[in-house]
Amino acid sequence: MASVEEITTPVAFLYCGACGMPPEYCSYSPNYETHCIKWLKKNVSPADFLKYTASSNSTADGGEEGGEDAGPPPPSEPWTTKERLVAFYTKYQPDKLDGIDGILEKYAGKEDKLFNALVKKYGPEPEDPYYYGAGSGDEGDVADKMGALDVKDTKKRRGAAAKKVKQVDTRVVVQKISRNRKKAVTHVVGMDTVPGIKLKEASKAFSKRFAGSSSVKDKEIIIQGDHLEDVAEMIVNKFGVSGECVFLDLDGEFVAFV
């Protein structure tokens, strides 16, 4: 029978201090090359560093992408509330990690308020690799569909009457993408076509507004959670984009947000 000490000894988990993810999933972070690698070099042993970076090195050296060395598969489940909190404090306040159980007990049933307050105090929530790798397989069609969008087309406008407007180059598409019929993420495509907008600054604004993680990948902004119409409304009201240039992807049909 195990001793009391063996039962109560806590298990130590390692999280990257740059992105907040376990080192096995650092390669999914948009800051992997610029921040994660530097942190890993400084904080893990040479053997572990080689283990955590082996997949990216093999791809860079000409290895086949998607093969056995293409990196760890995305997790099948999102972080639990405790894992989210561990990742958050690992990134911002490591000295509070020992008190996580007490914090969870104190805020039981009020977890959303807790993370909302943490985001406002410290900054964006660390990226959950489950959401970062989320996709439905249809994202590649968005760019093609955007090219075919005509802001003069009034047939699919929402509202009683749609006004004719000048055709402009700005086109923003907001999508809800679900994974395994579970939690969803909101993708924003086309913010780079909005004059004067920087994607990273826009991503931070979304993260603050919706109290969750938000990241930039291949000119797309990926926001944790289902915020389809709220994101479209924010693009119009905060970033000054005409509703006739913002489109909602509703089951593959693009509808102007007017």
Side-chain angles (χ1 to χ4, degrees):
M1 183 176 179
S3 67
V4 175
E5 288 187 4
E6 291 174 333
I7 294 175
T8 58
T9 300
V11 178
F13 292 96
L14 177 64
Y15 292 89
C16 174
C19 68
M21 301 184 198
E24 294 87 347
Y25 297 108
C26 281
S27 58
Y28 293 101
S29 168
N31 300 319
Y32 173 65
E33 294 183 356
T34 56
H35 294 77
C36 295
I37 289 181
K38 293 180 180 179
W39 187 91
L40 291 170
K41 280 183 179 179
K42 185 177 179 181
N43 292 278
V44 303
S45 68
D48 284 340
F49 176 79
L50 290 176
K51 179 179 71 174
Y52 296 138
T53 60
S55 59
S56 60
N57 290 338
S58 63
T59 303
D61 293 338
E64 292 186 3
E65 188 174 354
E68 292 183 0
D69 294 331
S76 59
E77 297 287 341
W79 280 343
T80 63
T81 301
K82 183 173 182 178
E83 289 172 333
R84 287 176 63 193
L85 196 58
V86 167
F88 205 106
Y89 279 130
T90 297
K91 181 175 182 179
Y92 295 108
Q93 286 288 112
D95 57 310
K96 292 188 177 182
L97 287 171
D98 292 339
I100 283 181
D101 288 336
I103 295 174
L104 290 173
E105 184 178 351
K106 178 179 179 181
Y107 286 91
K110 299 181 289 184
E111 289 84 357
D112 289 342
K113 291 184 178 180
L114 170 62
F115 282 99
N116 192 10
L118 290 174
V119 168
K120 288 181 179 180
K121 183 175 181 179
Y122 296 108
E125 185 177 345
E127 183 67 55
D128 185 336
Y130 174 87
Y131 291 110
Y132 190 76
S136 64
D138 297 329
E139 298 96 313
D141 298 333
V142 177
D144 296 335
K145 292 180 181 178
M146 286 181 65
L149 288 176
D150 186 351
V151 296
K152 292 181 180 179
D153 183 7
T154 62
K155 293 181 180 180
K156 298 178 181 178
R157 297 271 170 79
R158 302 192 318 165
K163 299 179 181 179
K164 291 185 177 180
V165 296
K166 289 185 178 180
Q167 183 174 359
V168 294
D169 291 331
T170 297
R171 295 180 181 87
V172 182
V173 174
V174 185
Q175 297 176 293
K176 168 192 170 183
I177 297 180
S178 299
R179 187 175 183 182
N180 298 330
R181 295 182 179 180
K182 296 179 181 179
K183 295 185 178 180
V185 291
T186 304
H187 281 222
V188 183
V189 184
M191 285 297 289
D192 55 313
T193 68
V194 181
I197 296 296
K198 295 182 179 179
L199 292 181
K200 288 187 177 181
E201 293 181 358
S203 177
K204 288 182 180 179
F206 287 128
S207 177
K208 184 177 181 180
R209 167 66 176 80
F210 300 108
S213 63
S214 175
S215 60
V216 179
K217 180 181 180 183
D218 298 331
K219 294 186 178 181
E220 293 186 23
I221 297 177
I222 304 172
I223 307 163
Q224 179 179 330
D226 177 9
H227 307 293
L228 188 72
E229 296 208 11
D230 290 335
V231 166
E233 183 178 357
M234 182 175 174
I235 292 172
V236 172
N237 294 336
K238 181 175 179 64
F239 298 107
V241 180
S242 170
E244 295 167 335
C245 299
V246 179
F247 296 84
L248 302 180
D249 184 352
L250 303 177
D251 296 325
E253 183 178 23
F254 287 3
V255 180
F257 186 77
V258 294

